[in-house]
Amino acid sequence: MRLRSILSYATIVLSIAVFTSCSKGGSGNVSSVTGWDYNTPENGGFEYYAGYEQELGPGLKFVEGGTFIMGRVEQDVMYDWDNVPRRVTVPSFYMDESEVRNVDYREYLYWTNRVFVDYPEVYKKALPDTLVWRRSLAYNEPMVENYLRHTAYSEYPVVGVNWLQASDFCAWRTDRVNEKILVDMGVLEMDVNQQGDNNFNTDAYLLGQYDGIAGKKPMPDLDPNKDSRRVRWEDGHLLPRYRLPTEAEWEYAALGLIGNSQEERVTNRRIYPWDGHITRNASKQERGKMMANFVRSRGDYMGVAGDLNDGGDKTVNVLSYYPNDYGLYCMAGNVNEWVADVYRPLSFEDVEEFSPYRGNEFKTKVLDEEGYVVEKDSLGRIRYRMETDKDILDRKNYRTADNRNYQDGDGQTNIATGDWLDSEESTSDMYGAHTGQLGSLVSDRTRVYKGGSWRDRAYWLSPGTRRYLDEREARDDLGFRCAMTRVGSPTSNGKKK
């Protein structure tokens, strides 16, 4: 009886404590600097919710970061010496499970054509170059006519997309994903009649430049003088930007060394995204099957009828073969993939050891004379400009806004801008060799691509290999996938926020 009385008394005390906390309107969280409760109108309504965990965006896989030896592990048969092994650290991030498909890009084109009906040039600018399939001495017209549009190729990787178009796709995807989050929350109603500059943009919404159609569940405002408010970035509901992965992120994710580590010991380095030095599966169940889509030997793109070696005469379904230890498909073969970095042969000497990347262009929002963000542009996006010397006058951590050619030296080498590529005298042949004027093929517009493709030999399947192309050019064996920054802890607890 005495034990039962003690338990009853404890229950009553706990109930009083819970009631008291609720009566104050607080969540039980108290400021450690003021002693005031968070999340209560009685204390002014400052909001803070602990225990945030980032949502997994559509199509993404979590890639836990860490340190690794970045660089080429095979013999450098091209003698470029442009990816010498060195140790770097990559923060945790998210990567698309597969390459962006034709159906994904057609969805983007459909939306662009529907929303920017008064700006047809926006749609035309987004169109892939389907003529990349043509060759002077090959019959590839069926691919020109069918590959992007025909439903038979919907699950195949989109090609003919240049670096600029891939970046624009990432920006569009960010806005569509965040718009759906607000619609699912009930903060906004789905507006399928968005036109021109009246379309959802994440930055514009956060800065009060987009209203949309109010939903049935407005975000309550704990400020005692207000009823509702916009979703803020501090709430953690909206996701960071989809973007192209950096070269270090892509190489780290492709290797998938998490499958070859015990505690802090990496047991084996890898030549490819799988174990071993061969391109066939070594497991008993799947022994002998090809691990990727590539050219096995001269003239052999898919093998002998009845027993095709990789099953792909050109590109294949993006979920073909076997995922690596991060759950990512076709990180070797099928199509090469754009990454964010500007190419330099000596990047391994120049970039930082933590989160290495070359290509920073630091920008700031365009403000009016009173210091307010100016109205959106004609496409509904917030206007940005490159930072000036005045903006960074007192900066110590960086001294220039455009860091693409940082530490390159003087501009007389044509490395600085590559403007000669735009001159009327400059031409290029089908292999990308520019003629008509002397200059470097490496400029601030030259971007890295990696991974190997259906047109490549096994050598290029190694994540440490790297090639480059002008960001305005496209190929029939070059696609892309998106990445997303992880905010907060580098480890995931596997829960939603």
Side-chain angles (χ1 to χ4, degrees), residues 264-477:
E264 279 203 293
R265 298 190 302 274
V266 178
T267 56
N268 291 293
R269 287 215 64 188
R270 286 175 170 170
I271 297 176
Y272 307 111
W274 54 84
D275 287 334
H277 63 282
I278 60 175
T279 56
R280 294 182 181 272
N281 199 317
S283 68
K284 292 182 179 180
Q285 297 80 7
E286 303 286 337
R287 181 168 292 166
K289 293 186 177 180
M290 302 301 288
M291 298 292 290
N293 179 20
F294 66 102
V295 179
R296 186 169 62 172
S297 61
R298 183 172 182 175
D300 183 359
Y301 281 73
M302 62 176 173
V304 179
D307 191 19
L308 301 180
N309 56 46
D310 63 28
D313 54 345
K314 46 190 174 298
T315 59
V316 295
N317 187 304
V318 296
L319 296 182
S320 299
Y321 312 109
Y322 311 89
N324 72 358
D325 289 313
Y326 280 119
L328 309 176
Y329 286 85
C330 291
M331 293 300 285
N334 209 22
V335 291
N336 290 286
E337 299 179 19
W338 287 113
V339 297
D341 289 59
V342 169
Y343 176 82
R344 290 294 186 273
L346 297 182
S347 286
F348 63 90
E349 291 185 354
D350 299 332
V351 295
E352 297 280 342
E353 294 177 351
F354 177 76
S355 193
Y357 168 65
R358 176 182 283 278
N360 281 314
E361 296 178 85
F362 299 127
K363 300 180 180 180
T364 186
K365 300 178 184 68
V366 177
L367 307 178
D368 59 21
E369 294 179 354
E370 297 181 355
Y372 294 102
V373 176
V374 300
E375 293 186 1
K376 301 174 292 184
D377 63 17
S378 59
L379 302 183
R381 301 164 185 167
I382 296 298
R383 298 174 183 174
Y384 286 83
R385 63 170 176 81
M386 194 75 75
E387 288 185 341
T388 64
D389 292 340
K390 183 179 178 181
D391 295 321
I392 59 179
L393 180 62
D394 297 323
R395 282 285 172 191
K396 297 293 189 273
N397 51 330
Y398 65 96
R399 301 301 300 165
T400 180
D402 187 352
N403 292 273
R404 292 176 297 172
N405 57 20
Y406 183 68
Q407 293 185 336
D408 269 350
D410 67 279
Q412 295 180 355
T413 59
N414 284 325
I415 290 178
T417 63
D419 289 337
W420 66 275
L421 293 174
D422 294 324
S423 65
E424 295 181 359
E425 293 81 6
S426 176
T427 59
S428 61
D429 61 23
M430 64 176 291
Y431 301 104
H434 294 273
T435 59
Q437 194 173 24
L438 294 177
S440 172
L441 292 178
V442 176
S443 76
D444 290 347
R445 294 193 179 104
T446 307
R447 302 287 175 169
V448 179
Y449 67 90
K450 297 170 76 73
S453 75
W454 65 277
R455 281 192 179 276
D456 291 320
R457 304 296 178 91
Y459 170 79
W460 295 106
L461 305 187
S462 174
T465 58
R466 60 199 301 250
R467 286 177 284 184
Y468 57 90
L469 190 69
D470 188 285
E471 64 185 20
R472 297 163 294 181
E473 297 186 42
R475 295 169 54 105
D476 64 353
D477 62 346

Side-chain angles (χ1 to χ4, degrees), residues 114-133:
R114 177 174 63 82
V115 172
F116 297 122
V117 63
D118 295 329
Y119 301 94
E121 64 275 10
V122 178
Y123 173 74
K124 293 179 181 178
K125 181 182 176 182
L127 285 171
D129 180 8
T130 57
L131 300 184
V132 294
W133 289 101

Side-chain angles (χ1 to χ4, degrees), residues 155-208:
E155 303 296 324
Y156 286 48
V158 66
V159 297
V161 175
N162 64 38
W163 186 92
L164 299 172
Q165 291 172 319
S167 299
D168 288 342
F169 175 91
C170 294
W172 167 83
R173 185 177 177 184
T174 300
D175 293 334
R176 303 289 70 75
V177 169
N178 281 333
E179 181 182 20
K180 187 175 187 302
I181 289 174
L182 296 180
V183 170
D184 290 344
M185 291 174 59
V187 174
L188 293 178
E189 289 286 341
M190 180 63 72
D191 182 8
V192 296
N193 296 316
Q194 299 178 37
Q195 294 288 319
D197 65 347
N198 186 33
N199 68 87
F200 179 87
N201 174 266
T202 302
D203 287 346
Y205 173 84
L206 291 172
L207 291 169

Side-chain angles (χ1 to χ4, degrees), residues 95-244:
M95 178 84 93
D96 268 342
E97 178 182 35
S98 69
E99 299 134 345
V100 172
R101 306 169 297 172
N102 282 317
V103 65
D104 303 324
Y105 205 85
R106 291 205 307 267
E107 181 183 2
Y108 165 53
L109 293 175
Y110 177 84
W111 185 94
T112 302
N113 192 40
R114 177 174 63 82
V115 172
F116 297 122
V117 63
D118 295 329
Y119 301 94
E121 64 275 10
V122 178
Y123 173 74
K124 293 179 181 178
K125 181 182 176 182
L127 285 171
D129 180 8
T130 57
L131 300 184
V132 294
W133 289 101
R134 285 180 172 170
R135 293 291 187 275
S136 298
L137 296 177
Y139 178 60
N140 288 338
E141 288 305 297
M143 302 304 295
V144 174
E145 298 167 359
N146 298 314
Y147 186 77
L148 174 64
R149 301 288 183 181
H150 199 285
T151 188
Y153 298 109
S154 290
E155 303 296 324
Y156 286 48
V158 66
V159 297
V161 175
N162 64 38
W163 186 92
L164 299 172
Q165 291 172 319
S167 299
D168 288 342
F169 175 91
C170 294
W172 167 83
R173 185 177 177 184
T174 300
D175 293 334
R176 303 289 70 75
V177 169
N178 281 333
E179 181 182 20
K180 187 175 187 302
I181 289 174
L182 296 180
V183 170
D184 290 344
M185 291 174 59
V187 174
L188 293 178
E189 289 286 341
M190 180 63 72
D191 182 8
V192 296
N193 296 316
Q194 299 178 37
Q195 294 288 319
D197 65 347
N198 186 33
N199 68 87
F200 179 87
N201 174 266
T202 302
D203 287 346
Y205 173 84
L206 291 172
L207 291 169
Q209 299 278 0
Y210 174 84
D211 293 321
I213 303 174
K216 297 179 181 179
K217 297 179 181 179
M219 193 75 176
D221 197 333
L222 298 186
D223 185 332
N225 301 313
K226 300 177 182 178
D227 295 324
S228 62
R229 62 173 176 83
R230 291 174 176 270
V231 171
R232 304 186 186 112
W233 188 246
E234 300 94 307
D235 296 325
H237 295 300
L238 301 179
L239 292 178
R241 292 181 176 87
Y242 283 86
R243 55 177 175 78
L244 293 178

Side-chain angles (χ1 to χ4, degrees), residues 251-263:
E251 189 170 327
Y252 178 84
L255 284 172
L257 292 175
I258 193 172
N260 276 5
S261 61
Q262 293 181 339
E263 296 179 345

